[in-house]
PDB file of all heavy atoms in Angstrom:
ATOM      1  N   TYR A 101       8.759 -11.140 -18.364  1.00  0.00           N
ATOM      2  CA  TYR A 101       7.787 -10.390 -19.164  1.00  0.00           C
ATOM      3  C   TYR A 101       8.535  -9.409 -20.060  1.00  0.00           C
ATOM      4  O   TYR A 101       9.218  -8.515 -19.564  1.00  0.00           O
ATOM      5  CB  TYR A 101       6.802  -9.652 -18.253  1.00  0.00           C
ATOM      6  CG  TYR A 101       5.872  -8.712 -19.000  1.00  0.00           C
ATOM      7  CD1 TYR A 101       4.772  -9.207 -19.690  1.00  0.00           C
ATOM      8  CD2 TYR A 101       6.112  -7.341 -19.030  1.00  0.00           C
ATOM      9  CE1 TYR A 101       3.930  -8.354 -20.386  1.00  0.00           C
ATOM     10  CE2 TYR A 101       5.275  -6.476 -19.716  1.00  0.00           C
ATOM     11  CZ  TYR A 101       4.190  -6.995 -20.395  1.00  0.00           C
ATOM     12  OH  TYR A 101       3.363  -6.144 -21.084  1.00  0.00           O
ATOM     13  N   GLU A 102       8.482  -9.636 -21.353  1.00  0.00           N
ATOM     14  CA  GLU A 102       9.198  -8.812 -22.336  1.00  0.00           C
ATOM     15  C   GLU A 102      10.656  -8.600 -21.944  1.00  0.00           C
ATOM     16  O   GLU A 102      11.210  -7.517 -22.128  1.00  0.00           O
ATOM     17  CB  GLU A 102       8.473  -7.474 -22.539  1.00  0.00           C
ATOM     18  CG  GLU A 102       7.110  -7.680 -23.205  1.00  0.00           C
ATOM     19  CD  GLU A 102       6.385  -6.398 -23.582  1.00  0.00           C
ATOM     20  OE1 GLU A 102       6.929  -5.302 -23.355  1.00  0.00           O
ATOM     21  OE2 GLU A 102       5.260  -6.501 -24.103  1.00  0.00           O
ATOM     22  N   GLY A 103      11.241  -9.634 -21.353  1.00  0.00           N
ATOM     23  CA  GLY A 103      12.655  -9.585 -20.991  1.00  0.00           C
ATOM     24  C   GLY A 103      12.939  -8.992 -19.623  1.00  0.00           C
ATOM     25  O   GLY A 103      14.103  -8.872 -19.218  1.00  0.00           O
ATOM     26  N   TYR A 104      11.894  -8.638 -18.871  1.00  0.00           N
ATOM     27  CA  TYR A 104      12.125  -8.081 -17.522  1.00  0.00           C
ATOM     28  C   TYR A 104      12.784  -9.162 -16.652  1.00  0.00           C
ATOM     29  O   TYR A 104      12.325 -10.297 -16.613  1.00  0.00           O
ATOM     30  CB  TYR A 104      10.793  -7.622 -16.903  1.00  0.00           C
ATOM     31  CG  TYR A 104      10.983  -6.874 -15.604  1.00  0.00           C
ATOM     32  CD1 TYR A 104      11.389  -5.543 -15.597  1.00  0.00           C
ATOM     33  CD2 TYR A 104      10.777  -7.508 -14.374  1.00  0.00           C
ATOM     34  CE1 TYR A 104      11.587  -4.864 -14.407  1.00  0.00           C
ATOM     35  CE2 TYR A 104      10.965  -6.835 -13.177  1.00  0.00           C
ATOM     36  CZ  TYR A 104      11.369  -5.505 -13.204  1.00  0.00           C
ATOM     37  OH  TYR A 104      11.565  -4.835 -12.021  1.00  0.00           O
ATOM     38  N   PRO A 105      13.865  -8.797 -15.927  1.00  0.00           N
ATOM     39  CA  PRO A 105      14.668  -9.840 -15.289  1.00  0.00           C
ATOM     40  C   PRO A 105      14.249 -10.279 -13.891  1.00  0.00           C
ATOM     41  O   PRO A 105      14.799 -11.242 -13.364  1.00  0.00           O
ATOM     42  CB  PRO A 105      16.059  -9.185 -15.224  1.00  0.00           C
ATOM     43  CG  PRO A 105      15.767  -7.719 -15.104  1.00  0.00           C
ATOM     44  CD  PRO A 105      14.501  -7.482 -15.880  1.00  0.00           C
ATOM     45  N   LYS A 106      13.303  -9.598 -13.250  1.00  0.00           N
ATOM     46  CA  LYS A 106      13.001  -9.894 -11.842  1.00  0.00           C
ATOM     47  C   LYS A 106      11.514 -10.161 -11.640  1.00  0.00           C
ATOM     48  O   LYS A 106      10.726 -10.106 -12.591  1.00  0.00           O
ATOM     49  CB  LYS A 106      13.467  -8.733 -10.960  1.00  0.00           C
ATOM     50  CG  LYS A 106      14.981  -8.480 -10.999  1.00  0.00           C
ATOM     51  CD  LYS A 106      15.760  -9.504 -10.189  1.00  0.00           C
ATOM     52  CE  LYS A 106      17.267  -9.303 -10.366  1.00  0.00           C
ATOM     53  NZ  LYS A 106      18.040 -10.137  -9.440  1.00  0.00           N
ATOM     54  N   SER A 107      11.112 -10.410 -10.377  1.00  0.00           N
ATOM     55  CA  SER A 107       9.733 -10.808 -10.063  1.00  0.00           C
ATOM     56  C   SER A 107       8.836  -9.659  -9.653  1.00  0.00           C
ATOM     57  O   SER A 107       7.633  -9.842  -9.484  1.00  0.00           O
ATOM     58  CB  SER A 107       9.752 -11.841  -8.921  1.00  0.00           C
ATOM     59  OG  SER A 107      10.403 -13.012  -9.351  1.00  0.00           O
ATOM     60  N   VAL A 108       9.425  -8.490  -9.433  1.00  0.00           N
ATOM     61  CA  VAL A 108       8.665  -7.351  -8.907  1.00  0.00           C
ATOM     62  C   VAL A 108       9.364  -6.068  -9.367  1.00  0.00           C
ATOM     63  O   VAL A 108      10.555  -6.107  -9.718  1.00  0.00           O
ATOM     64  CB  VAL A 108       8.604  -7.453  -7.350  1.00  0.00           C
ATOM     65  CG1 VAL A 108      10.000  -7.354  -6.736  1.00  0.00           C
ATOM     66  CG2 VAL A 108       7.673  -6.420  -6.736  1.00  0.00           C
ATOM     67  N   CYS A 109       8.644  -4.966  -9.372  1.00  0.00           N
ATOM     68  CA  CYS A 109       9.267  -3.667  -9.647  1.00  0.00           C
ATOM     69  C   CYS A 109       9.385  -2.892  -8.335  1.00  0.00           C
ATOM     70  O   CYS A 109       8.424  -2.841  -7.551  1.00  0.00           O
ATOM     71  CB  CYS A 109       8.455  -2.857 -10.641  1.00  0.00           C
ATOM     72  SG  CYS A 109       8.282  -3.635 -12.263  1.00  0.00           S
ATOM     73  N   THR A 110      10.556  -2.299  -8.112  1.00  0.00           N
ATOM     74  CA  THR A 110      10.815  -1.525  -6.888  1.00  0.00           C
ATOM     75  C   THR A 110      11.366  -0.167  -7.311  1.00  0.00           C
ATOM     76  O   THR A 110      12.486  -0.084  -7.808  1.00  0.00           O
ATOM     77  CB  THR A 110      11.821  -2.262  -5.984  1.00  0.00           C
ATOM     78  OG1 THR A 110      12.965  -2.646  -6.770  1.00  0.00           O
ATOM     79  CG2 THR A 110      11.219  -3.515  -5.358  1.00  0.00           C
ATOM     80  N   SER A 111      10.576   0.883  -7.128  1.00  0.00           N
ATOM     81  CA  SER A 111      10.932   2.200  -7.670  1.00  0.00           C
ATOM     82  C   SER A 111      11.050   3.214  -6.535  1.00  0.00           C
ATOM     83  O   SER A 111      10.072   3.490  -5.841  1.00  0.00           O
ATOM     84  CB  SER A 111       9.875   2.641  -8.686  1.00  0.00           C
ATOM     85  OG  SER A 111       9.676   1.619  -9.649  1.00  0.00           O
ATOM     86  N   ILE A 112      12.257   3.740  -6.364  1.00  0.00           N
ATOM     87  CA  ILE A 112      12.583   4.572  -5.202  1.00  0.00           C
ATOM     88  C   ILE A 112      12.714   6.043  -5.584  1.00  0.00           C
ATOM     89  O   ILE A 112      13.361   6.375  -6.585  1.00  0.00           O
ATOM     90  CB  ILE A 112      13.914   4.090  -4.571  1.00  0.00           C
ATOM     91  CG1 ILE A 112      13.827   2.604  -4.209  1.00  0.00           C
ATOM     92  CG2 ILE A 112      14.277   4.915  -3.346  1.00  0.00           C
ATOM     93  CD1 ILE A 112      15.155   2.011  -3.770  1.00  0.00           C
ATOM     94  N   ASN A 113      12.118   6.926  -4.780  1.00  0.00           N
ATOM     95  CA  ASN A 113      12.302   8.383  -4.892  1.00  0.00           C
ATOM     96  C   ASN A 113      12.013   8.924  -6.303  1.00  0.00           C
ATOM     97  O   ASN A 113      10.858   8.970  -6.693  1.00  0.00           O
ATOM     98  CB  ASN A 113      13.694   8.785  -4.392  1.00  0.00           C
ATOM     99  CG  ASN A 113      13.884   8.402  -2.928  1.00  0.00           C
ATOM    100  OD1 ASN A 113      12.912   8.365  -2.169  1.00  0.00           O
ATOM    101  ND2 ASN A 113      15.099   8.101  -2.525  1.00  0.00           N
ATOM    102  N   ASP A 114      13.066   9.300  -7.068  1.00  0.00           N
ATOM    103  CA  ASP A 114      12.812   9.873  -8.396  1.00  0.00           C
ATOM    104  C   ASP A 114      12.620   8.802  -9.461  1.00  0.00           C
ATOM    105  O   ASP A 114      12.476   9.135 -10.639  1.00  0.00           O
ATOM    106  CB  ASP A 114      13.928  10.842  -8.798  1.00  0.00           C
ATOM    107  CG  ASP A 114      15.263  10.148  -8.970  1.00  0.00           C
ATOM    108  OD1 ASP A 114      15.487   9.097  -8.324  1.00  0.00           O
ATOM    109  OD2 ASP A 114      16.086  10.635  -9.763  1.00  0.00           O
ATOM    110  N   GLN A 115      12.603   7.539  -9.071  1.00  0.00           N
ATOM    111  CA  GLN A 115      12.235   6.485 -10.015  1.00  0.00           C
ATOM    112  C   GLN A 115      10.708   6.446 -10.067  1.00  0.00           C
ATOM    113  O   GLN A 115      10.042   6.324  -9.037  1.00  0.00           O
ATOM    114  CB  GLN A 115      12.802   5.130  -9.572  1.00  0.00           C
ATOM    115  CG  GLN A 115      14.327   5.118  -9.598  1.00  0.00           C
ATOM    116  CD  GLN A 115      14.922   3.799  -9.126  1.00  0.00           C
ATOM    117  OE1 GLN A 115      14.274   3.024  -8.431  1.00  0.00           O
ATOM    118  NE2 GLN A 115      16.170   3.561  -9.509  1.00  0.00           N
ATOM    119  N   VAL A 116      10.179   6.566 -11.269  1.00  0.00           N
ATOM    120  CA  VAL A 116       8.729   6.683 -11.456  1.00  0.00           C
ATOM    121  C   VAL A 116       8.068   5.311 -11.430  1.00  0.00           C
ATOM    122  O   VAL A 116       7.011   5.108 -10.829  1.00  0.00           O
ATOM    123  CB  VAL A 116       8.444   7.408 -12.797  1.00  0.00           C
ATOM    124  CG1 VAL A 116       6.963   7.414 -13.127  1.00  0.00           C
ATOM    125  CG2 VAL A 116       8.999   8.823 -12.747  1.00  0.00           C
ATOM    126  N   CYS A 117       8.673   4.339 -12.104  1.00  0.00           N
ATOM    127  CA  CYS A 117       8.161   2.964 -12.135  1.00  0.00           C
ATOM    128  C   CYS A 117       9.200   2.059 -12.780  1.00  0.00           C
ATOM    129  O   CYS A 117      10.209   2.538 -13.299  1.00  0.00           O
ATOM    130  CB  CYS A 117       6.834   2.873 -12.903  1.00  0.00           C
ATOM    131  SG  CYS A 117       6.963   3.302 -14.643  1.00  0.00           S
ATOM    132  N   HIS A 118       8.926   0.743 -12.730  1.00  0.00           N
ATOM    133  CA  HIS A 118       9.736  -0.289 -13.386  1.00  0.00           C
ATOM    134  C   HIS A 118      11.185  -0.333 -12.895  1.00  0.00           C
ATOM    135  O   HIS A 118      12.079  -0.753 -13.649  1.00  0.00           O
ATOM    136  CB  HIS A 118       9.700  -0.153 -14.918  1.00  0.00           C
ATOM    137  CG  HIS A 118       8.306  -0.192 -15.471  1.00  0.00           C
ATOM    138  ND1 HIS A 118       7.976   0.237 -16.728  1.00  0.00           N
ATOM    139  CD2 HIS A 118       7.135  -0.605 -14.923  1.00  0.00           C
ATOM    140  CE1 HIS A 118       6.677   0.094 -16.935  1.00  0.00           C
ATOM    141  NE2 HIS A 118       6.134  -0.414 -15.848  1.00  0.00           N
ATOM    142  N   GLY A 119      11.429   0.105 -11.647  1.00  0.00           N
ATOM    143  CA  GLY A 119      12.755  -0.061 -11.061  1.00  0.00           C
ATOM    144  C   GLY A 119      13.053  -1.549 -10.862  1.00  0.00           C
ATOM    145  O   GLY A 119      12.179  -2.318 -10.466  1.00  0.00           O
ATOM    146  N   ILE A 120      14.291  -1.941 -11.155  1.00  0.00           N
ATOM    147  CA  ILE A 120      14.672  -3.361 -11.093  1.00  0.00           C
ATOM    148  C   ILE A 120      15.360  -3.661  -9.766  1.00  0.00           C
ATOM    149  O   ILE A 120      16.349  -3.008  -9.416  1.00  0.00           O
ATOM    150  CB  ILE A 120      15.622  -3.711 -12.266  1.00  0.00           C
ATOM    151  CG1 ILE A 120      14.964  -3.378 -13.606  1.00  0.00           C
ATOM    152  CG2 ILE A 120      16.024  -5.180 -12.203  1.00  0.00           C
ATOM    153  CD1 ILE A 120      15.880  -3.576 -14.813  1.00  0.00           C
ATOM    154  N   PRO A 121      14.869  -4.644  -9.007  1.00  0.00           N
ATOM    155  CA  PRO A 121      15.514  -4.990  -7.739  1.00  0.00           C
ATOM    156  C   PRO A 121      16.994  -5.362  -7.938  1.00  0.00           C
ATOM    157  O   PRO A 121      17.358  -5.926  -8.968  1.00  0.00           O
ATOM    158  CB  PRO A 121      14.707  -6.204  -7.258  1.00  0.00           C
ATOM    159  CG  PRO A 121      13.367  -6.041  -7.894  1.00  0.00           C
ATOM    160  CD  PRO A 121      13.646  -5.431  -9.243  1.00  0.00           C
ATOM    161  N   SER A 122      17.792  -5.042  -6.932  1.00  0.00           N
ATOM    162  CA  SER A 122      19.226  -5.294  -7.038  1.00  0.00           C
ATOM    163  C   SER A 122      19.832  -5.462  -5.651  1.00  0.00           C
ATOM    164  O   SER A 122      19.397  -4.828  -4.694  1.00  0.00           O
ATOM    165  CB  SER A 122      19.896  -4.108  -7.748  1.00  0.00           C
ATOM    166  OG  SER A 122      21.280  -4.081  -7.489  1.00  0.00           O
ATOM    167  N   GLU A 123      20.857  -6.314  -5.578  1.00  0.00           N
ATOM    168  CA  GLU A 123      21.599  -6.476  -4.324  1.00  0.00           C
ATOM    169  C   GLU A 123      22.335  -5.201  -3.940  1.00  0.00           C
ATOM    170  O   GLU A 123      22.726  -5.020  -2.799  1.00  0.00           O
ATOM    171  CB  GLU A 123      22.610  -7.618  -4.474  1.00  0.00           C
ATOM    172  CG  GLU A 123      22.028  -8.940  -4.080  1.00  0.00           C
ATOM    173  CD  GLU A 123      22.808 -10.140  -4.594  1.00  0.00           C
ATOM    174  OE1 GLU A 123      23.983  -9.969  -4.966  1.00  0.00           O
ATOM    175  OE2 GLU A 123      22.205 -11.225  -4.607  1.00  0.00           O
ATOM    176  N   GLU A 124      22.550  -4.342  -4.930  1.00  0.00           N
ATOM    177  CA  GLU A 124      23.298  -3.113  -4.676  1.00  0.00           C
ATOM    178  C   GLU A 124      22.446  -1.967  -4.150  1.00  0.00           C
ATOM    179  O   GLU A 124      22.979  -0.960  -3.702  1.00  0.00           O
ATOM    180  CB  GLU A 124      23.996  -2.661  -5.960  1.00  0.00           C
ATOM    181  CG  GLU A 124      25.458  -3.007  -5.979  1.00  0.00           C
ATOM    182  CD  GLU A 124      25.845  -3.812  -7.194  1.00  0.00           C
ATOM    183  OE1 GLU A 124      25.758  -3.259  -8.301  1.00  0.00           O
ATOM    184  OE2 GLU A 124      26.226  -4.981  -7.017  1.00  0.00           O
ATOM    185  N   ILE A 125      21.126  -2.111  -4.215  1.00  0.00           N
ATOM    186  CA  ILE A 125      20.253  -1.021  -3.781  1.00  0.00           C
ATOM    187  C   ILE A 125      19.750  -1.295  -2.365  1.00  0.00           C
ATOM    188  O   ILE A 125      18.969  -2.222  -2.142  1.00  0.00           O
ATOM    189  CB  ILE A 125      19.066  -0.826  -4.752  1.00  0.00           C
ATOM    190  CG1 ILE A 125      19.600  -0.570  -6.174  1.00  0.00           C
ATOM    191  CG2 ILE A 125      18.178   0.322  -4.286  1.00  0.00           C
ATOM    192  CD1 ILE A 125      18.526  -0.529  -7.244  1.00  0.00           C
ATOM    193  N   VAL A 126      20.255  -0.494  -1.416  1.00  0.00           N
ATOM    194  CA  VAL A 126      19.911  -0.660   0.005  1.00  0.00           C
ATOM    195  C   VAL A 126      18.938   0.451   0.398  1.00  0.00           C
ATOM    196  O   VAL A 126      19.201   1.633   0.154  1.00  0.00           O
ATOM    197  CB  VAL A 126      21.186  -0.574   0.879  1.00  0.00           C
ATOM    198  CG1 VAL A 126      20.836  -0.781   2.358  1.00  0.00           C
ATOM    199  CG2 VAL A 126      22.231  -1.599   0.431  1.00  0.00           C
ATOM    200  N   LEU A 127      17.821   0.069   1.013  1.00  0.00           N
ATOM    201  CA  LEU A 127      16.855   1.082   1.459  1.00  0.00           C
ATOM    202  C   LEU A 127      17.411   1.838   2.650  1.00  0.00           C
ATOM    203  O   LEU A 127      18.013   1.253   3.552  1.00  0.00           O
ATOM    204  CB  LEU A 127      15.533   0.418   1.852  1.00  0.00           C
ATOM    205  CG  LEU A 127      14.755  -0.257   0.731  1.00  0.00           C
ATOM    206  CD1 LEU A 127      13.427  -0.783   1.252  1.00  0.00           C
ATOM    207  CD2 LEU A 127      14.533   0.706  -0.432  1.00  0.00           C
ATOM    208  N   LYS A 128      17.197   3.163   2.627  1.00  0.00           N
ATOM    209  CA  LYS A 128      17.663   3.965   3.749  1.00  0.00           C
ATOM    210  C   LYS A 128      16.536   4.858   4.260  1.00  0.00           C
ATOM    211  O   LYS A 128      15.589   5.163   3.521  1.00  0.00           O
ATOM    212  CB  LYS A 128      18.889   4.796   3.347  1.00  0.00           C
ATOM    213  CG  LYS A 128      18.634   5.716   2.181  1.00  0.00           C
ATOM    214  CD  LYS A 128      19.894   6.476   1.814  1.00  0.00           C
ATOM    215  CE  LYS A 128      19.589   7.613   0.861  1.00  0.00           C
ATOM    216  NZ  LYS A 128      18.781   7.249  -0.311  1.00  0.00           N
ATOM    217  N   GLU A 129      16.672   5.259   5.509  1.00  0.00           N
ATOM    218  CA  GLU A 129      15.695   6.161   6.118  1.00  0.00           C
ATOM    219  C   GLU A 129      15.477   7.384   5.223  1.00  0.00           C
ATOM    220  O   GLU A 129      16.436   7.959   4.712  1.00  0.00           O
ATOM    221  CB  GLU A 129      16.218   6.598   7.502  1.00  0.00           C
ATOM    222  CG  GLU A 129      15.439   7.750   8.100  1.00  0.00           C
ATOM    223  CD  GLU A 129      14.848   7.446   9.467  1.00  0.00           C
ATOM    224  OE1 GLU A 129      15.119   6.368  10.020  1.00  0.00           O
ATOM    225  OE2 GLU A 129      14.107   8.312   9.958  1.00  0.00           O
TER     226      GLU A 129
END
Side-chain angles (χ1 to χ4, degrees):
Y101 173 78
E102 293 186 1
Y104 188 78
K106 298 284 174 171
S107 296
V108 63
C109 298
T110 50
S111 308
I112 304 172
N113 300 331
D114 65 333
Q115 295 178 339
V116 173
C117 64
H118 304 163
I120 303 175
S122 160
E123 270 162 18
E124 259 125 66
I125 303 173
V126 181
L127 294 184
K128 58 182 193 310
E129 168 123 5

